[in-house]
Amino acid sequence: DVFALFAEQGTGKTKVAIDRVGELYAESKIDAALIITKKGVHAQWVNEQIPTHLGEVPHVAAYWTGKGFTKNLFLNTPELKIASVNVDSTITKTGSAVIEKFVKMFKGRLAIIIDESHIIKNTTAKRTQACYKLAPYASHRMILTGTPIAKDLCDEWSQFKFLDEGIIGIRYLTSFRNQFCVMGGFENRQVIGTRNLPEFKSRVDPYSFRVTKESDLDLPPKVYATVPFEMSDEQKRHYKSLRDTFMTQLDNGDVVSVKIAATCLLRLQQITCGVLPSAEEGGEHTLIANPRMDALMDLLDQRPGKAIIWARFNADIELIKRALGEKAATYYGATSSEDRQKAVSLFLDPASGIDYFVSNPAAGGTGLNLQGGGCRTVVYYSNSFSSLDRWQSEDRTHRIGMQGTVTYFDLVCVGSPDRRILANLRAKKSVSDLALGDIKEILNDEVD
């Protein structure tokens, strides 16, 4: 009745979940299902996944549009009712009211699926708490993710708490840490390791199923390549000034926080992307010479067919869209749910004229299947500091059904943190995993 499907991206976990819902309905165990996932992905469940995998099961499905659901979801008719919502709608006034109405109507004969369930890894977040409140209405609960542990063991505990507190048997985070985590860092508040891991696994394994690409699928290997380029003279001038100031602050002990250090890395990265950050918070950024864009355009000229371009900053996405024009579709925070679905559909359509899908991993890196259009080229225009974002976004094209080999290109600015950041990401390390000394070493690369 409750289970966790820890299946890596592209191994078919969405199909498994839909098959299970159809099976429960056929066995007269449920009348409805609620799917909770990320924005944009929630619409894809209804528009693509459910019609493809649910087969001839009679059903009515709708996704959250910001206003409500079709009235058919609330009619007393025999069809299976499926509502798909983005996780943030659970904490809005309108969304929470409509979702509560839906789960109450089908209480006790309802399946709730949390797709990409690492979205509820933070127990104190409002959306996590909202999901916990919905759980008792469901007779069946599922969590789906390829990355149950993004940072530490507490991530997995939070997700199992939604399934059933009795699985691990610990209600409070502090108690869980005391039993299964090694604490350290500032005031002993940071999780630095695990303990009693065999006991933890013995509790969760009966409710878990793990699928990995390496052991369960026969997919071609990923191919990686870097495209180096140099800064313009203007970029070098701004970059050196900011970096030297920051290194002085590090040496003087003025900077003692990894978070502050990461902010400096971010600003240096913006400069190498052709954007000069404003000195004032919220101020206008200034565009400067941008060899990174030249490197992207040269690469795309050499690669036939469609390409996915991942970029960290919204300004990057807007600049890329401007450069590629009508051949590009964008998918990021400012894109509406309707336009997100349109962007995916156009990119996957060989005859649409849309050759480029431009997104950031935070928005498009999970839940999307982007390999159907025959894409063989993925470009990382700029990388975030999150290893989770990186490997999830790679798997939008490396998945079941792919044909041929996909090459992942990284644009690397010579003399910038790009190379070191990329090495950390490939080793599945985020900047938050580093110490100040590590960040100082990253900044030691010289700019000619």
Side-chain angles (χ1 to χ4, degrees):
D1 294 344
V2 297
F3 74 89
L5 179 55
F6 295 146
E8 287 187 350
Q9 291 77 15
T11 57
K13 62 181 180 293
T14 302
K15 171 177 167 48
V16 172
I18 294 173
D19 286 349
R20 178 60 174 153
V21 166
E23 180 182 56
L24 291 171
Y25 173 77
E27 295 173 352
S28 298
K29 293 181 178 179
I30 65 169
D31 298 318
L34 173 68
I35 299 155
I36 303 172
T37 186
K38 296 181 67 175
K39 183 179 179 182
V41 179
H42 74 293
Q44 189 178 37
W45 271 77
V46 173
N47 291 337
E48 299 178 23
Q49 304 289 3
I50 291 171
T52 299
H53 301 304
L54 200 54
E56 297 181 357
V57 175
H59 67 276
V60 176
Y63 62 87
W64 179 252
T65 62
K67 298 179 181 179
F69 293 123
T70 173
K71 292 182 179 179
N72 291 346
L73 283 185
F74 299 96
L75 296 178
N76 186 20
T77 54
E79 299 94 347
L80 172 65
K81 310 300 192 305
I82 304 176
S84 182
V85 303
N86 69 73
V87 68
D88 292 323
S89 68
T90 64
I91 58 175
T92 65
K93 183 177 180 180
T94 303
S96 61
V98 175
I99 294 168
E100 183 178 358
K101 178 183 177 182
F102 182 79
V103 298
K104 283 184 174 179
M105 181 173 180
F106 299 104
K107 181 179 180 181
R109 295 183 58 81
L110 171 73
I112 297 182
I113 301 170
I114 299 189
D115 180 31
E116 307 297 349
S117 58
H118 51 271
I119 59 179
I120 61 165
K121 66 183 181 180
N122 182 357
T123 55
T124 61
K126 290 182 179 179
R127 60 189 189 182
T128 303
Q129 293 296 320
C131 290
Y132 288 166
K133 291 179 181 178
L134 294 172
Y137 292 100
S139 55
H140 299 77
R141 292 180 290 279
M142 314 177 204
I143 56 174
L144 318 175
T145 183
T147 50
I149 304 175
K151 187 176 181 182
D152 57 60
L153 207 58
C154 298
D155 296 347
E156 194 165 339
W157 170 78
S158 177
Q159 295 167 68
F160 273 97
K161 184 179 173 69
F162 165 80
L163 285 184
D164 187 339
E165 279 189 355
I167 294 175
I168 298 177
I170 299 177
R171 174 170 292 185
Y172 301 108
L173 180 59
T174 51
S175 300
F176 177 79
R177 285 176 171 174
N178 288 338
Q179 186 164 344
F180 293 105
C181 300
V182 178
M183 307 301 293
F186 181 66
E187 295 185 348
N188 211 41
R189 294 181 179 180
Q190 183 178 352
V191 177
I192 61 173
T194 61
R195 58 184 176 185
N196 301 325
L197 191 57
E199 181 183 350
F200 176 83
K201 289 182 64 65
S202 71
R203 297 187 186 188
V204 302
D205 280 355
Y207 302 90
S208 310
F209 188 70
R210 180 68 173 163
V211 181
T212 64
K213 290 181 179 179
E214 185 175 359
S215 61
D216 298 295
L217 296 182
D218 184 20
L219 295 179
K222 295 178 180 178
V223 177
Y224 296 98
T226 57
V227 180
F229 67 92
E230 295 187 354
M231 298 184 214
S232 68
D233 291 340
E234 183 181 11
Q235 284 176 311
K236 288 180 181 179
R237 185 172 68 254
H238 291 298
Y239 186 96
K240 285 183 176 181
S241 176
L242 179 57
R243 189 194 64 173
D244 291 347
T245 299
F246 181 69
M247 293 294 284
T248 300
Q249 292 174 337
L250 277 173
D251 292 337
N252 293 341
D254 295 334
V255 175
V256 295
S257 165
V258 171
K259 184 176 181 180
I260 295 175
T263 299
C264 179
L265 283 178
L266 181 148
R267 290 176 178 169
L268 290 171
Q269 196 177 24
Q270 286 178 303
I271 292 173
T272 70
C273 291
V275 176
L276 184 61
S278 171
E280 299 180 2
E281 186 173 350
E284 291 290 330
H285 295 336
T286 303
L287 298 181
I288 55 179
N290 189 10
R292 189 182 296 266
M293 183 65 71
D294 296 335
L296 172 67
M297 300 306 288
D298 287 344
L299 173 62
L300 295 179
D301 283 343
Q302 301 171 39
R303 298 289 297 183
K306 300 202 174 197
I308 297 169
I309 304 164
W310 297 107
R312 175 176 190 176
F313 305 108
N314 287 350
D316 290 345
I317 295 174
E318 291 160 3
L319 287 172
I320 294 168
K321 169 64 176 174
R322 188 184 306 171
L324 295 176
E326 295 181 355
K327 290 186 177 182
T330 57
Y331 188 115
Y332 64 120
T335 311
S336 67
S337 294
E338 181 180 352
D339 287 341
R340 291 185 183 205
Q341 290 304 299
K342 184 178 179 181
V344 173
S345 297
L346 289 173
F347 179 70
L348 295 178
D349 181 357
S352 68
I354 297 296
D355 293 332
Y356 306 109
F357 183 86
V358 188
S359 180
N360 57 37
T366 56
L368 300 182
N369 180 354
L370 298 176
Q371 55 85 219
C375 174
R376 299 289 177 269
T377 302
V378 176
V379 183
Y380 285 86
Y381 181 86
S382 53
N383 278 294
S384 76
F385 298 152
S386 168
S387 59
L388 177 62
D389 284 350
R390 171 67 190 224
W391 78 70
Q392 285 191 329
S393 60
E394 286 185 6
D395 288 339
R396 297 311 96 212
T397 47
H398 194 254
R399 56 199 302 117
I400 288 175
M402 68 178 295
Q403 297 177 353
T405 300
V406 177
T407 303
Y408 300 84
F409 293 91
D410 283 273
L411 305 187
V412 175
C413 180
V414 176
S416 79
D418 280 358
R419 179 173 60 85
R420 300 288 190 95
I421 291 171
L422 178 59
N424 284 326
L425 293 177
R426 288 183 179 171
K428 297 190 176 181
K429 294 181 180 179
S430 298
V431 166
S432 59
D433 299 323
L434 305 179
L436 281 175
D438 298 319
I439 294 178
K440 186 174 181 179
E441 186 178 341
I442 290 174
L443 292 171
N444 276 334
D445 285 338
E446 289 294 330
V447 182
D448 295 331

